[in-house]
Amino acid sequence: MDFKDSIYQLSNRVEKLKDSICTEEATKNAFIMPFINSLGYDVFNPLEVVPEMTCDIGTKKGEKVDYAIMKDGSPILLIECKHWTQNLTLNDNQLLRYFHVSKAKFGLLTNGIVYKFYTDLIEPNIMDKKPFLEIDITDIKDNQIEELKKFHKSYFDIDRILSSASELKYTGELKTLLAAEFSNPNPEFVKYFAKQVYDSIITAKLLEEFTDLTKRSIASYINDLISERLKSAMQTEDAEAKDITVISEEQQDSKIITTEEEIESYMVVKAILRSVTDVSRIVYRDAQTYFAILFDNNNRKPICRMYFNGNKKYIATFDENKKETKNEISSLDDIYNYSKELIDIISIYDKKQEE
């Protein structure tokens, strides 16, 4: 099961069980522990997840944070939990105090349904009072899953998360402000646009008229955007349908069918190798029994092969002697476990080319 599927499965679980969850402890067991598990961490391994981790704060001794996710012996994510019916407020919250005395760079406040992720964008070592990422697990969007995936054990990278945290935080706040203005524009917002189209003084009466005009103009513009997008999408679908027909005919002749899963595996390999080579040099060729990913479009430079046609999935890697080693994988995420082998073979090809 890939990461997205596991999150959607958890979403369905929460919807079904929440009304029967009566305590905070039950919330942890039914919702939050499965969430941590979906991030790739073993909740029963104290080297990865420490429950009730003690955080001594000044004269306060023995205070505990509900969970601390660990890496190399240090906490990287502190998690404070509430009952699923509780509102999540950070005022005088323990998480603020824990963050200050911990090495962790991220804090998570959750009731098992809403997940609020915090860091220290404004002042170093002082947790921001506003989250940079907020997710409702029962109404999660694909783009949020991609951001959440950055916290997965296989992909966790502090710098990568921080690089997007600022943008996430401020775009989220701006979207909220825009939504409020679009539904009920304030006088300053209306005046800004009214002055662009009306040359005289904006009186109170005119301001009232322009408020209504602004609301209708925004609604009309959004409708026009949606119509254009739908029109463009329909045209794209028509073009793709024609392409698919041609491809299908070719595949019927060749008995080769390139699946969506194979294409996704190719994208994963490109993501792994992006830091060491120009991804335009990485191409794929499909065959009846395997899906090959090549360097420089050269059959003599195989990067790896995917065997997805049977009941089990395999990735085959290559060494400097072109010896193929097949490794069973349970999901596409497991491809990341072979990053070293993929990077090494690129280095070998580049070195031979220089020689």
Side-chain angles (χ1 to χ4, degrees), residues 50 185 194 223 295:
V50 177
N223 285 335
F295 194 53

Side-chain angles (χ1 to χ4, degrees), residues 1-14:
M1 182 184 300
D2 66 15
F3 181 70
K4 182 184 289 188
D5 290 338
S6 69
I7 293 298
Y8 281 133
Q9 186 181 71
L10 179 59
S11 177
N12 293 331
R13 176 188 176 89
V14 171

Side-chain angles (χ1 to χ4, degrees), residues 153-316:
K153 179 183 175 182
S154 300
Y155 317 114
F156 186 85
D157 184 311
I158 289 178
D159 293 333
R160 184 169 170 234
I161 298 173
L162 288 175
S163 68
S164 61
S166 179
E167 181 180 345
L168 281 171
K169 178 181 178 180
Y170 296 118
T171 53
E173 291 181 17
L174 286 169
K175 282 169 66 178
T176 301
L177 288 172
L178 286 171
E181 292 293 352
F182 286 1
S183 61
N184 187 25
N186 69 49
E188 292 304 315
F189 185 85
V190 174
K191 281 180 184 177
Y192 174 79
F193 289 101
K195 287 178 180 178
Q196 313 300 315
V197 297
Y198 190 80
D199 295 330
S200 190
I201 297 172
I202 308 296
T203 63
K205 184 178 180 181
L206 276 170
L207 185 63
E208 185 178 344
E209 291 179 11
F210 270 105
T211 298
D212 184 56
L213 286 171
T214 301
K215 289 173 69 173
R216 283 192 284 162
S217 297
I218 289 170
S220 177
Y221 176 67
I222 291 173
N223 285 335
D224 288 345
L225 276 179
I226 293 171
S227 296
E228 284 298 318
R229 290 287 179 89
L230 288 173
K231 183 180 177 181
S232 176
M234 290 174 68
Q235 290 173 342
T236 302
E237 284 181 4
D238 287 343
E240 287 179 349
K242 292 176 182 177
D243 290 341
I244 289 169
T245 301
V246 173
I247 292 169
S248 296
E249 290 173 354
E250 292 174 351
Q251 288 178 340
Q252 284 175 3
D253 292 339
S254 64
K255 297 181 181 180
I256 295 173
I257 298 175
T258 302
T259 66
E260 183 178 346
E261 190 174 40
E262 288 171 333
I263 295 298
E264 286 183 14
S265 72
Y266 169 62
M267 300 304 289
V268 171
V269 171
K270 287 210 299 183
I272 291 170
L273 299 177
R274 185 175 296 276
S275 62
V276 296
T277 190
D278 182 350
V279 292
S280 65
R281 300 177 70 184
I282 303 168
V283 301
Y284 71 83
R285 290 187 196 173
D286 206 355
Q288 287 191 35
T289 57
Y290 59 80
F291 178 81
I293 299 177
L294 310 173
F295 194 53
D296 290 337
N297 201 19
N298 189 334
N299 275 327
R300 290 175 294 177
K301 295 182 179 181
I303 298 172
C304 62
R305 288 176 180 172
M306 306 298 173
Y307 294 86
F308 292 169
N309 296 331
N311 293 327
K312 294 182 179 181
K313 297 182 179 69
Y314 296 89
I315 177 175

Side-chain angles (χ1 to χ4, degrees), residues 29-259:
N29 293 335
F31 299 160
I32 298 169
M33 287 175 67
F35 174 80
I36 295 172
N37 188 63
S38 72
L39 292 180
Y41 297 96
D42 181 356
V43 293
F44 301 111
N45 182 350
L47 297 177
E48 293 188 1
V49 181
V50 177
E52 299 293 317
M53 188 178 83
T54 301
C55 291
D56 290 336
I57 306 168
T59 58
K60 293 187 177 181
K61 303 296 182 181
E63 291 219 347
K64 301 179 188 297
V65 63
D66 289 307
Y67 297 101
I69 293 180
M70 312 293 288
K71 183 178 181 181
D72 299 328
S74 296
I76 56 174
L77 175 64
L78 303 178
I79 305 175
E80 185 175 353
C81 310
K82 302 293 182 185
H83 183 256
W84 73 270
T85 58
Q86 282 187 266
N87 290 326
L88 300 177
T89 56
L90 203 58
N91 294 335
D92 196 34
N93 192 283
Q94 287 176 308
L95 193 60
L96 282 167
R97 303 195 296 275
Y98 297 151
F99 188 90
H100 180 63
V101 298
S102 167
K103 293 181 180 179
K105 199 67 177 175
F106 303 102
L108 170 59
L109 180 60
T110 180
N111 58 11
I113 294 179
V114 175
Y115 291 80
K116 294 185 176 184
F117 290 85
Y118 299 84
T119 189
D120 55 352
L121 294 173
I122 296 174
E123 191 174 347
N125 300 320
I126 304 296
M127 196 172 78
D128 300 336
K129 292 187 177 181
K130 291 182 180 180
F132 67 87
L133 178 63
E134 182 172 341
I135 290 171
D136 183 334
I137 202 74
T138 62
D139 186 29
I140 194 164
K141 311 294 189 299
D142 283 352
N143 66 311
Q144 292 176 325
I145 291 177
E146 288 305 309
E147 293 302 326
L148 190 59
K149 192 173 182 179
K150 293 175 184 177
F151 285 92
H152 192 281
K153 179 183 175 182
S154 300
Y155 317 114
F156 186 85
D157 184 311
I158 289 178
D159 293 333
R160 184 169 170 234
I161 298 173
L162 288 175
S163 68
S164 61
S166 179
E167 181 180 345
L168 281 171
K169 178 181 178 180
Y170 296 118
T171 53
E173 291 181 17
L174 286 169
K175 282 169 66 178
T176 301
L177 288 172
L178 286 171
E181 292 293 352
F182 286 1
S183 61
N184 187 25
N186 69 49
E188 292 304 315
F189 185 85
V190 174
K191 281 180 184 177
Y192 174 79
F193 289 101
K195 287 178 180 178
Q196 313 300 315
V197 297
Y198 190 80
D199 295 330
S200 190
I201 297 172
I202 308 296
T203 63
K205 184 178 180 181
L206 276 170
L207 185 63
E208 185 178 344
E209 291 179 11
F210 270 105
T211 298
D212 184 56
L213 286 171
T214 301
K215 289 173 69 173
R216 283 192 284 162
S217 297
I218 289 170
S220 177
Y221 176 67
I222 291 173
N223 285 335
D224 288 345
L225 276 179
I226 293 171
S227 296
E228 284 298 318
R229 290 287 179 89
L230 288 173
K231 183 180 177 181
S232 176
M234 290 174 68
Q235 290 173 342
T236 302
E237 284 181 4
D238 287 343
E240 287 179 349
K242 292 176 182 177
D243 290 341
I244 289 169
T245 301
V246 173
I247 292 169
S248 296
E249 290 173 354
E250 292 174 351
Q251 288 178 340
Q252 284 175 3
D253 292 339
S254 64
K255 297 181 181 180
I256 295 173
I257 298 175
T258 302
T259 66

